[in-house]
């Protein structure tokens, strides 16, 4: 296990794109392409073929290139985070989350090494930043300068889909960075899709209660680690910039905004600064979301943009949403792998888990467990439904430790063949995602857990669980040795 973070290789989005291009994993599109639907259709075709990241150099109506599909494969997501495998980050987190007492000089050295990692975590403030090379304020602000996309024909207009939205709690000053869709209402106003379960919603609610407007800053196109950190399901007391510093292996550089009391990543491409007024909401949507369906029009807060800053030659980073497969597969898989050690600390019997992309990650979780007592699968289901954002999971499938949770064929074989649905199916109700269209009531609905483990007599199964068929190791080894003789290569 490697618990030492490598030095982060990408100082900004440009450096990451250059690395992708050097690997032949970036395609430049030089022809003029319309951000209204056309970029979306092209990108979706590329994603479905596991194709490269894309840089549209000539979007119609804007001089700013569009970067998209940066995280569309697990390999590209790992590269974005500076590792060969997403599991490497989970190993580092596991090593820090379970520190053993030092044993001898080697133990002391290892303990100090862990502490030295944490030293590099806090962000640092700088005075001059690339994201403020060009400044527009007041009436000079024009969001139409940006190549925002309309992804689907039924969308309510242009949406900016990868803007890191910064707020802070009016009383505590606690910062939050989140990734929310942002509908452009006018050339100087943006709808803020702050769902009920999100921290920014509580910040705005507190500001409204105090009769105050809430400062908001939106950073587009920071380095890829910071882009991922904004999507991570962190506990409320963990700062996204501390987490990004841990992932990077070096501190994140921040700069003060010019017109609001917030800080943003200094290496961002574009920054929007403004305020959300108390009590003001506008209809937002419809929007073709990652569920594959349009979400309905609902009232959401509005940001009035008072300043727009950018680099001299910025790149506009965005993402599209649709039914799987989609680019968010890489982001979701990173979260799955990175947070596995923490999930295992809180639910120790878990061996591994998988969140299928087809379930848009929060709809289904497959879990393997080291079963030690009767009805342990049901205990694990309840624990998952009580675990932060995993509380939104609609279906949990629990299998034994010898089942590969990433092999959906094997999982299906167990879930379809190992289950008596009159006894092994747990039905309950609880919170669901804001965007869930299937629940009969918004924000809450039905959930199911399937116990696909081998059943024990203590669980009421008295027939004697059958032995699964396996070929002998001697025969398998013999066939391996003689495989070429069979002419089946």
């Amino acid at each position: 296990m490697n618990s030492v973070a490598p030095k982060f290789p990408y100082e900004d989005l440009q450096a990451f794109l250059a690395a992708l291009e050097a690997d032949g994993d970036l395609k430049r599109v030089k022809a003029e392409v319309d951000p209204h639907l056309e970029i979306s259709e092209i990108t979706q075709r590329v994603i479905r073929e596991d194709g490269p990241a894309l840089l549209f150099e000539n979007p119609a109506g804007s001089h700013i290139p569009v970067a998209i599909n940066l995280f569309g494969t697990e390999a590209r997501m790992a590269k974005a985070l500076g590792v060969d495998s997403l599991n490497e980050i989970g190993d580092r987190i596991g090593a820090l989350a379970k520190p053993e007492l030092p044993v001898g000089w080697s133990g002391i050295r290892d303990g100090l090494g862990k502490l030295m990692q944490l030293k590099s975590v806090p962000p640092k403030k700088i005075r001059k930043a690339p994201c403020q090379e060009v400044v527009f304020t007041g009436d000079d602000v024009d969001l139409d300068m940006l190549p925002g996309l309309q992804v689907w024909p039924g969308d309510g207009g242009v949406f900016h889909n990868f803007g890191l939205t910064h707020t802070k709690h009016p009383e505590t000053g606690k910062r939050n960075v989140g990734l929310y869709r942002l509908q452009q209402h006018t050339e100087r106003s943006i709808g803020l899709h702050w769902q009920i379960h999100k921290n920014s919603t509580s910040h705005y609610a507190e500001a409204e209660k105090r009769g105050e407007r809430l400062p908001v800053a939106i950073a587009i196109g920071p380095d890829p680690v910071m882009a991922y950190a904004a999507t991570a399901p962190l506990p409320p007391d963990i700062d996204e910039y501390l987490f990004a510093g841990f992932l990077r292996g070096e501190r994140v550089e921040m700069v003060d905004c010019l017109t609001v009391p917030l800080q943003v990543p200094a290496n961002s491409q574009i920054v929007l600064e403004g305020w959300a007024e108390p009590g003001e909401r506008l209809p937002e949507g419809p929007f073709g979301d990652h569920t594959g369906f349009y979400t309905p029009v609902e009232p959401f807060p509005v940001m009035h943009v008072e300043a727009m800053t950018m680099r001299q030659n910025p790149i506009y980073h965005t993402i599209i949403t649709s039914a799987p497969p989609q680019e968010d597969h890489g982001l979701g898989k990173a979260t799955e792998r990175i947070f596995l050690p923490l999930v295992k600390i809180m639910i120790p019997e878990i061996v591994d888990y998988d969140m299928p992309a087809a379930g848009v990650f929060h709809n289904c979780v497959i879990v393997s467990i080291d079963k030690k007592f009767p009805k342990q699968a049901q205990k694990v289901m309840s624990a998952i439904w009580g675990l932060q954002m995993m509380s939104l999971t609609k279906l949990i499938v629990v299998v034994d430790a010898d089942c590969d949770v990433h092999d959906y064929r094997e999982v299906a074989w167990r879930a379809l063949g190992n289950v008596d649905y009159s006894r092994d199916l747990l039905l309950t109700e609880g919170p669901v995602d804001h965007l869930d269209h299937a629940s009969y009531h918004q924000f809450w609905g039905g959930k199911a857990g399937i116990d696909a483990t081998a059943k024990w007599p203590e669980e009421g199964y008295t027939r004697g669980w059958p032995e699964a068929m396996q070929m002998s190791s001697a025969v398998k080894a013999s066939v391996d040795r003689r495989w070429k003789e069979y002419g089946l290569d």
Side-chain angles (χ1 to χ4, degrees):
M1 180 187 302
N2 178 17
S3 62
V4 178
K7 186 171 179 63
F8 181 65
Y10 315 117
E11 65 179 16
D12 55 20
L13 178 59
Q14 282 83 350
F16 180 50
L17 294 175
L20 292 177
E21 189 165 33
D23 289 344
D25 204 14
L26 174 73
K27 176 66 176 178
R28 294 176 179 268
V29 180
K30 299 184 181 298
E32 182 178 87
V33 182
D34 195 341
H36 178 86
L37 304 179
E38 194 173 14
I39 285 181
S40 171
E41 177 62 18
I42 293 170
T43 303
Q44 289 180 80
R45 295 187 187 190
V46 171
I47 288 172
R48 292 185 184 119
E49 298 295 327
D50 288 330
L54 299 172
L55 185 64
F56 293 93
E57 296 185 329
N58 190 19
S62 177
H63 70 281
I64 302 174
V66 175
I68 200 167
N69 196 28
L70 303 190
F71 309 126
T73 66
E74 288 185 48
R76 199 147 61 238
M77 190 71 243
K79 187 176 183 66
L81 298 179
V83 294
D84 294 325
S85 167
L86 295 171
N87 287 317
E88 293 178 31
I89 300 174
D91 289 344
R92 285 175 52 209
I93 291 176
L96 285 172
K98 294 173 64 176
E100 292 84 10
L101 291 174
V103 178
W105 284 109
S106 62
I108 294 173
R109 183 181 65 246
D110 290 344
L112 288 174
K114 294 177 181 180
L115 292 176
M116 288 303 291
Q117 281 193 63
L118 298 179
K119 239 179 113 180
S120 67
V121 166
K124 64 179 178 180
K125 178 181 171 182
I126 64 174
R127 293 185 177 180
K128 189 174 181 181
C131 67
Q132 295 176 346
E133 291 173 343
V134 179
V135 177
F136 301 95
T137 59
D139 291 343
D140 291 330
V141 172
D142 185 1
L143 298 177
D144 289 334
M145 295 172 57
L146 307 180
L149 306 187
Q150 179 167 347
V151 177
W152 291 100
D155 284 354
V158 167
F159 285 82
H160 305 281
N161 288 336
F162 221 117
L164 278 60
T165 303
H166 297 68
T167 59
K168 65 180 180 180
H169 194 281
E171 182 177 349
T172 67
K174 172 65 179 175
R175 172 172 53 209
N176 179 69
V177 185
L179 188 66
Y180 316 108
R181 74 187 196 218
L182 306 163
Q183 182 175 359
Q184 183 174 320
H185 290 313
T186 70
E187 70 275 7
R188 288 193 291 277
S189 65
I190 282 180
L192 302 165
H193 191 264
W194 287 342
Q195 299 172 25
I196 190 172
H197 303 108
K198 305 300 184 180
N199 290 332
S200 288
T201 300
S202 63
H203 292 184
Y204 182 65
E206 180 63 25
E208 274 196 318
K209 187 168 68 176
R210 298 156 69 104
E212 299 173 356
R213 58 181 186 167
L214 184 74
V216 183
I218 297 169
I220 298 172
D223 68 76
V225 167
M226 193 58 237
Y228 166 72
T231 74
L234 298 172
D237 56 340
I238 301 297
D239 183 85
E240 285 82 2
Y241 285 97
L242 295 178
F243 183 58
F246 170 79
L247 295 178
R248 291 168 59 105
E250 63 183 35
R251 300 167 69 184
V252 178
E253 292 186 342
M254 310 283 291
V255 67
D256 286 337
C257 291
L258 302 181
T259 61
V260 294
L262 296 168
Q263 294 181 337
V264 291
N267 65 12
S268 302
Q269 305 295 309
I270 302 159
V271 176
L272 310 178
E273 304 176 9
W275 303 84
E277 299 289 339
E280 182 185 16
R281 288 166 177 77
L282 288 178
E284 193 267 0
F287 180 74
D289 222 302
H290 63 277
T291 60
F293 296 87
Y294 289 104
T295 53
V297 175
E298 292 184 88
F300 279 97
V302 182
M303 174 189 181
H304 296 277
V305 182
E306 295 190 355
M308 178 168 67
T309 72
M310 61 182 66
R311 292 174 174 239
Q312 286 285 356
N313 296 294
I315 295 172
Y316 178 85
H317 177 210
T318 191
I319 192 172
I320 62 175
T321 55
S322 77
Q326 198 44 262
E327 180 182 349
D328 58 7
H329 167 75
L331 294 164
K333 188 57 66 172
T335 292
E336 176 194 291
R337 295 295 91 196
I338 288 172
F339 287 88
L340 173 61
L342 297 181
V343 172
K344 291 172 72 172
I345 288 172
M346 291 179 277
I347 312 175
E349 55 265 69
I350 286 181
V351 175
D352 200 358
Y353 75 126
D354 184 280
M355 298 186 291
V360 293
F361 299 103
H362 58 262
N363 281 343
C364 178
V365 175
I366 304 164
V367 186
S368 59
I369 65 170
D370 185 10
K371 187 172 177 178
K372 299 292 188 183
F373 53 83
K375 295 296 182 180
Q376 193 169 3
Q378 285 78 0
K379 178 260 188 188
V380 169
M381 296 171 194
S382 297
I384 290 173
W385 282 321
L387 193 60
Q388 294 289 335
M389 295 305 291
M390 292 188 78
S391 65
L392 304 180
T393 303
K394 294 172 64 174
L395 174 65
I396 300 173
V397 180
V398 183
V399 294
D400 286 304
D402 63 341
C403 179
D404 181 359
V405 295
H406 309 295
D407 183 342
Y408 298 153
R409 183 168 60 178
E410 182 179 2
V411 171
W413 173 64
R414 306 237 184 170
L416 297 175
N418 280 9
V419 178
D420 178 341
Y421 287 98
S422 69
R423 302 177 67 101
D424 303 328
L425 178 65
L426 176 64
L427 296 176
T428 186
E429 292 181 334
V432 297
D433 187 74
H434 188 126
L435 303 176
D436 190 292
H437 62 279
S439 58
Y440 282 60
H441 303 273
Q442 192 173 35
F443 308 133
W444 67 275
K447 296 166 177 286
I450 298 175
D451 179 0
T453 63
K455 304 309 181 298
W456 295 5
E458 295 89 341
E459 296 174 303
Y461 185 89
T462 58
R463 299 175 58 197
W465 196 261
E467 179 183 357
M469 298 175 296
Q470 290 187 338
M471 182 54 66
S472 72
S473 56
V475 170
K476 291 172 72 173
S478 174
V479 169
D480 286 342
R481 287 193 303 270
R482 299 184 56 197
W483 187 253
K484 289 186 178 180
E485 294 181 33
Y486 308 141
L488 298 174
D489 290 79

